[in-house]
Amino acid sequence: MFQTGKTKVALLLEALEKSYGKIKALHHLSLSVEPGQIVGLIGPDGSGKTTAMRIATGLLTPDNGSVRILDIDPFIRPRQAKELIGYMPQRFSLYPDLTVSENLRFFSDLYLVTKHDRIERQERLMKFSRLGPFTNRRASKLSGGMKQKLALMCALIHTPSLLILDEPTTGVDPVSRQEFWNILRELAEQGIGILVSTPYMDEASLCDNILMMYEGRIIGTGKPEDITTLFPDKLLEIRDIDITEIKRKLQMKYPTLSVQRFGDKLHIPYSDEEQFETIKSAVPDRTQVNPIKPGIEDTFVALMSKPNITADYISEESG
Amino acid sequence: MASLEQNTDNTAVLIQNLTRKFGKFVAVDNINLTVSRGEIFGFLGANGAGKTTAIRMLCGILRSSGGNAWVAGIDINKKPELVKRKIGYMSQKFSLYNDLTISENLTFYGGIYGLKRKVISQRSRDLLDRLKLVGFRNRMTGALPLGYKQRLALGCSVLHRPRVLFLDEPTGGVDPVARREFWDLIYELSDQGTTIFVTTHYMDEAEYCNRVSIMDQGRIIALGKPTELKQEHNVKTMQEVFFDVVQPVIT
């Protein structure tokens, strides 16, 4: 079902299982990344995103299931797989007291890139990332956004076909994040497959395909424009100058209602017109109550809190 | 020039011509701002714009090079030590003790702020309940997921009931559900009269603030309610406002 046409899939994970002791980190996880496609993994801490990415790179062995990188099994042919993968871990992994170009040189040597190739690629990557003027600056003296760009360039020095990026833009300001994503889109246009995790919902909407992860499972998947159709109910928005009071009254009157505050607005899921009217009649006349289209974040939160999912990742009071 | 008399009961933070230089580099360049009691104020800007330098001065950690500010009525230049005791501060690098349990971290911070044992245990109990950490109180902090550490760090920063709470990128790297829960706590504190001064890179969170300012190269270049700023720039989101006013780094 994942093999589409004759082109090789950049990354194929099938039925992955992984436990750490009693904790089940991945339940039967499958996903694919096509060449030229950006696939986004979104999910809370401990949902298994990093575990899935580490298994995909071949750094971590699954208990069950298979990994293929352009048809190559990284656990049987690790060297070949390594050539194909560029990996950017969540934690900044460059050498702070090496300069920009020394870091690139170091990663080139790790990947056995020849001197000739290195010089040619470094020039191209510096231009592409606009890090050129900072070639001799120490990594520790770069801004957050520039550090992340350098880490990405280090992951690209051996011209991989698949990029695995674990929360590459966390803590980076909006302008630098936008620039980083423009670079990712250009790389995808060159045919690289990209698997990226992010906590930013606005970034999820820049992916070609979104996978929502929770407790080791994929709970929702789709294109950014389609995924909001998975929202199980309808959604209404309430606007009022005294939103605190409105929220308090609604929750007192209807304790089961899920009321979420966003600044001067409330979002409430509802099932039908009758419930909509009930909520509307419970607030003052001046208050605006309107049905709205749920966003990616609303959808994610709704799918996460579906009761059929058992909370076995963190069990209370174990120690 | 305005004086202390302006600092009425309803003003939580008053900043006048505040400046900080590092050698020739002007990190904070003559900023002015008034934040009211109970207000949730979003202090936005690109990396390196001067936000953290400004916050460090307001918290009494860093001396100013010029201008002045009053936080909870206290002069930051004259009484930086008192400022530190009266405010709450939570940074992205939580500064929790990983090899203490959740309860022990709360007790430790209560002790630092000079609270009595009885007060600490009573407030800890309330906080653990509100932060949904009761079941985890005897867990080692180091082994907790990020979202839990974040709630605990917030708890430690409000144990002494500060009038002004500074949050420096409190939600970096936290998932959407944890972020929603965190903001619920922020609203609760604000409703009780605590002033919240928050920096964030999430522009959707900027929309949740009562007012925001945007800093660029040490200066405040935009200030107002999110709805006003969006109208002014004729855009739909705070993200677009941000892109409109902040110059991209020229490399």
Side-chain angles (χ1 to χ4, degrees):
Chain A
M1 76 196 247
F2 286 104
Q3 235 79 13
T4 51
K6 279 172 194 133
T7 49
K8 287 177 185 170
V9 179
L11 174 68
L12 184 63
L13 304 180
E14 277 185 314
L16 291 183
E17 306 277 342
K18 180 73 187 175
S19 298
Y20 299 110
K22 280 183 186 166
I23 296 164
K24 190 114 181 158
L26 294 180
H27 290 269
H28 209 79
L29 179 112
S30 300
L31 67 85
S32 72
V33 182
E34 305 285 338
Q37 194 185 28
I38 303 180
V39 174
L41 272 183
I42 59 174
D45 310 315
S47 63
K49 301 187 302 284
T50 297
T51 299
M53 291 185 144
R54 288 201 182 139
I55 291 175
T57 59
L59 288 170
L60 189 69
T61 320
D63 301 336
N64 236 319
S66 73
V67 180
R68 294 289 181 276
I69 295 141
L70 292 169
D71 286 351
I72 289 168
D73 184 334
F75 300 105
I76 294 173
R77 291 150 72 193
R79 275 177 193 225
Q80 258 179 295
K82 186 182 126 184
E83 302 272 304
L84 298 172
I85 305 167
Y87 174 52
M88 211 177 130
Q90 199 171 353
R91 209 170 273 191
F92 182 69
S93 56
L94 303 177
Y95 289 85
D97 42 7
L98 293 188
T99 65
V100 167
S101 81
E102 285 166 346
N103 266 296
L104 274 171
R105 166 91 193 263
F106 178 80
F107 279 86
S108 308
D109 290 349
L110 279 186
Y111 284 103
L112 307 174
V113 175
T114 63
K115 188 180 174 190
H116 175 268
D117 283 351
R118 171 171 58 80
I119 291 168
E120 186 255 324
R121 285 176 199 170
Q122 177 168 338
E123 201 175 319
R124 195 162 42 83
L125 290 173
M126 287 294 102
K127 208 178 263 175
F128 178 55
S129 62
R130 298 199 285 146
L131 282 172
F134 306 99
T135 321
N136 295 318
R137 192 178 285 195
R138 284 187 191 188
S140 58
K141 300 283 180 196
L142 297 174
S143 74
M146 290 203 285
K147 275 182 189 160
Q148 296 309 88
K149 280 200 290 186
L150 175 58
L152 180 63
M153 296 309 121
C154 289
L156 285 168
I157 193 79
H158 60 295
T159 58
S161 310
L162 171 69
L163 264 181
I164 297 178
L165 313 171
D166 198 354
E167 296 198 5
T169 54
T170 295
V172 176
D173 71 67
V175 175
S176 305
R177 288 203 283 124
Q178 193 189 38
E179 196 193 351
F180 192 89
W181 274 84
N182 288 341
I183 292 176
L184 293 190
R185 184 47 72 190
E186 273 185 61
L187 292 169
E189 277 163 10
Q190 292 164 22
I192 299 179
I194 301 174
L195 180 66
V196 55
S197 63
T198 178
Y200 296 95
M201 292 296 136
D202 58 314
E203 291 187 351
S205 64
L206 300 173
C207 300
D208 297 309
N209 204 13
I210 299 172
L211 301 166
M212 294 178 168
M213 271 190 89
Y214 184 57
E215 293 179 343
R217 293 182 172 87
I218 288 171
I219 56 168
T221 169
K223 292 177 184 166
E225 60 271 29
D226 300 337
I227 202 157
T228 53
T229 58
L230 297 176
F231 192 78
D233 295 300
K234 293 168 180 154
L235 192 67
L236 64 81
E237 182 179 270
I238 294 181
R239 279 170 188 264
D240 194 271
I241 40 163
D242 191 5
I243 209 73
T244 307
E245 189 53 22
I246 304 264
K247 183 175 188 237
R248 201 185 58 82
K249 276 190 180 151
L250 277 172
Q251 281 184 320
M252 215 157 68
K253 205 165 174 188
Y254 307 107
T256 56
L257 215 56
S258 156
V259 183
Q260 191 69 47
R261 177 170 168 184
F262 297 97
D264 55 356
K265 293 173 280 189
L266 299 178
H267 284 190
I268 304 173
Y270 68 101
S271 50
D272 49 33
E273 282 312 303
E274 198 187 323
Q275 202 186 4
F276 183 88
E277 290 307 322
T278 312
I279 294 167
K280 197 169 174 171
S281 63
V283 298
D285 287 339
R286 63 152 201 266
T287 311
Q288 296 176 48
V289 183
N290 294 304
I292 56 161
K293 201 173 170 282
I296 295 174
E297 185 173 315
D298 295 308
T299 308
F300 184 76
V301 172
L303 291 175
M304 250 181 93
S305 43
K306 276 209 292 198
N308 58 345
I309 296 166
T310 52
D312 58 356
Y313 184 72
I314 299 165
S315 55
E316 291 216 0
E317 206 75 58
S318 72
Chain B
M1 193 188 259
S3 66
L4 251 179
E5 278 80 272
Q6 276 198 346
N7 193 7
T8 56
D9 258 349
N10 206 33
T11 303
V13 181
L14 176 65
I15 304 175
Q16 289 178 344
N17 309 319
L18 193 65
T19 299
R20 173 70 207 201
K21 295 175 186 168
F22 295 105
K24 280 184 181 166
F25 178 66
V26 186
V28 174
D29 190 359
N30 207 4
I31 62 170
N32 289 284
L33 203 59
T34 310
V35 180
S36 309
R37 183 170 178 269
E39 192 172 16
I40 302 176
F41 189 84
F43 198 54
L44 315 176
N47 293 113
K51 301 185 303 276
T52 300
T53 304
I55 287 187
R56 286 167 63 88
M57 286 191 281
L58 295 176
C59 292
I61 304 167
L62 185 72
R63 292 201 72 90
S64 70
S65 320
N68 203 3
W70 290 264
V71 175
I74 305 159
D75 186 323
I76 61 154
N77 282 331
K78 285 190 186 140
K79 294 179 176 169
E81 290 309 313
L82 189 60
V83 172
K84 283 181 211 165
R85 298 186 72 85
K86 292 291 175 189
I87 56 143
Y89 174 73
M90 175 187 161
S91 86
Q92 199 180 8
K93 292 168 191 147
F94 300 142
S95 63
L96 296 170
Y97 288 84
N98 281 335
D99 41 9
L100 295 185
T101 64
I102 288 187
S103 283
E104 287 166 347
N105 263 299
L106 284 167
T107 308
F108 177 79
Y109 273 92
I112 284 188
Y113 285 109
L115 300 178
K116 292 210 173 78
R117 221 188 164 82
K118 215 173 158 187
V119 176
I120 296 174
S121 80
Q122 195 200 338
R123 288 188 189 171
S124 293
R125 227 177 301 132
D126 289 351
L127 275 171
L128 288 170
D129 191 39
R130 275 168 54 199
L131 301 168
K132 296 184 196 154
L133 290 173
V134 177
F136 304 94
R137 65 185 180 279
N138 296 322
R139 286 276 197 98
M140 281 298 167
T141 303
L144 294 169
L146 195 63
Y148 289 64
K149 286 186 191 166
Q150 180 207 36
R151 297 209 295 274
L152 175 60
L154 181 72
C156 291
S157 68
V158 298
L159 204 60
H160 60 300
R161 305 210 167 141
R163 281 163 62 192
V164 183
L165 178 61
F166 290 91
L167 306 170
D168 195 1
E169 282 184 45
T171 57
V174 176
D175 67 82
V177 176
R179 281 210 289 142
R180 286 189 176 198
E181 286 175 353
F182 189 79
W183 273 89
D184 277 341
L185 295 166
I186 300 294
Y187 290 131
E188 214 178 293
L189 287 165
S190 150
D191 290 341
Q192 290 160 9
T194 310
T195 305
I196 315 284
F197 203 89
V198 59
T199 71
T200 179
H201 285 318
Y202 293 90
M203 288 302 117
D204 58 334
E205 289 187 348
E207 317 252 358
Y208 311 161
C209 298
N210 300 120
R211 276 191 315 145
V212 303
S213 70
I214 301 178
M215 254 184 113
D216 191 28
Q217 296 173 41
R219 293 182 186 179
I220 289 175
I221 51 167
L223 173 68
K225 293 180 179 171
T227 42
E228 292 168 356
L229 288 173
K230 284 184 277 184
Q231 263 172 13
E232 210 175 288
H233 291 266
N234 200 16
V235 291
K236 287 203 178 89
T237 64
M238 276 307 295
Q239 176 127 348
E240 292 166 285
V241 173
F242 195 94
F243 290 151
D244 211 23
V245 299
V246 174
Q247 300 301 312
V249 182
I250 294 144
T251 57

